[in-house]
Amino acid sequence: EQRPEKRRSDEALRSSEELFRVVTKATNDGVWDWGLSTGRVWINETVARMFQFKELPQYIDPEWWFEHIHPQDSERVRSEVQSALDKGVYLWSSEYRMRREDDTFAHVNDRAYIMRAEDGTPRRMIGALQDVTERKQSEEEIRRLNRQNELVLNAAGNSICAVDSEGLQILANPRS
């Protein structure tokens, strides 16, 4: 009686593990799983690629992770994580900079789900990272161009204004 049940259970476990492996390979996100009781963080292969590490072990120490966060972001991220764990929330997210192997920094959007025991004690954090460096660079370029345009408009000796296709003014310098 127990053998067919055990076989079904083993097959369900194998199927679940296979699904997990395929999903973590199929995504462009860096996936991580921090066992809070073991103090180990499992990472998928994408994490190594994302930060251009030639080799990273499948399990890392959480301190390795925190040490690779930009010094200006590190204390904030530590505090946010600890606050999420202490407050009993289930979701955490943050944007910060992470050091690559070549000592440059990638901007990342990191978000996680906190698994808790019935009494609310945090057991695991499972998260996903996205490299948002290009988005951040584009946003900075837009800010730079906006500042440059504002300086040019304000410095112009003549009145400058622009209207849209309906004749509504959409831009004007102080001389207008």
Side-chain angles (χ1 to χ4, degrees):
E1 246 177 65
Q2 291 179 342
R3 285 185 187 158
E5 180 67 28
K6 171 110 171 78
R7 270 188 253 135
R8 280 193 297 276
S9 176
D10 289 348
E11 181 54 36
L13 178 60
R14 274 192 297 279
S15 179
S16 178
E17 289 173 344
E18 179 182 28
L19 176 63
F20 179 76
R21 279 192 304 276
V22 170
V23 167
T24 60
K25 286 179 186 268
T27 183
N28 289 327
D29 289 357
V31 178
W32 54 272
D33 179 357
W34 181 9
L36 297 167
S37 61
T38 66
R40 293 183 350 154
V41 179
W42 173 89
I43 55 174
N44 71 345
E45 298 164 4
T46 305
V47 172
R49 281 195 309 274
M50 187 179 288
F51 301 119
Q52 302 165 355
F53 283 93
K54 291 174 191 78
E55 289 185 38
L56 268 182
Q58 190 174 16
Y59 288 91
I60 60 171
D61 186 283
E63 275 310 304
W64 179 94
W65 193 268
F66 286 116
E67 289 168 2
H68 282 77
I69 295 175
H70 192 284
Q72 293 175 352
D73 300 335
S74 182
E75 191 55 42
R76 174 182 55 82
V77 174
R78 281 181 191 266
S79 177
E80 291 171 354
V81 168
Q82 192 60 54
S83 178
L85 293 172
D86 292 345
K87 288 184 177 177
V89 299
Y90 288 88
L91 298 174
W92 168 83
S93 68
S94 188
E95 281 197 7
Y96 56 89
R97 293 163 288 178
M98 190 78 168
R99 187 175 57 234
R100 297 180 182 119
E101 188 168 52
D102 67 1
D103 287 332
T104 62
F105 286 88
H107 289 267
V108 297
N109 180 3
D110 196 355
R111 61 220 174 279
Y113 181 80
I114 301 169
M115 296 178 68
R116 297 180 177 278
E118 285 186 27
D119 67 358
T121 304
R123 296 182 307 127
R124 296 166 77 177
M125 281 184 80
I126 300 173
L129 291 162
Q130 288 182 320
D131 185 337
V132 295
T133 304
E134 288 182 18
R135 187 197 82 204
K136 290 294 215 178
Q137 290 169 341
S138 296
E139 289 170 353
E140 182 54 38
E141 180 65 6
I142 289 168
R143 280 191 293 277
R144 186 189 70 75
L145 290 171
N146 283 339
R147 283 191 306 272
Q148 180 180 336
N149 289 343
E150 185 178 338
L151 289 171
V152 169
L153 284 171
N154 290 337
N158 296 328
S159 174
I160 300 174
C161 69
V163 294
D164 65 15
S165 60
E166 297 174 6
L168 297 174
Q169 183 175 318
I170 58 171
L171 176 99
N173 69 346
R175 301 208 192 303
S176 297

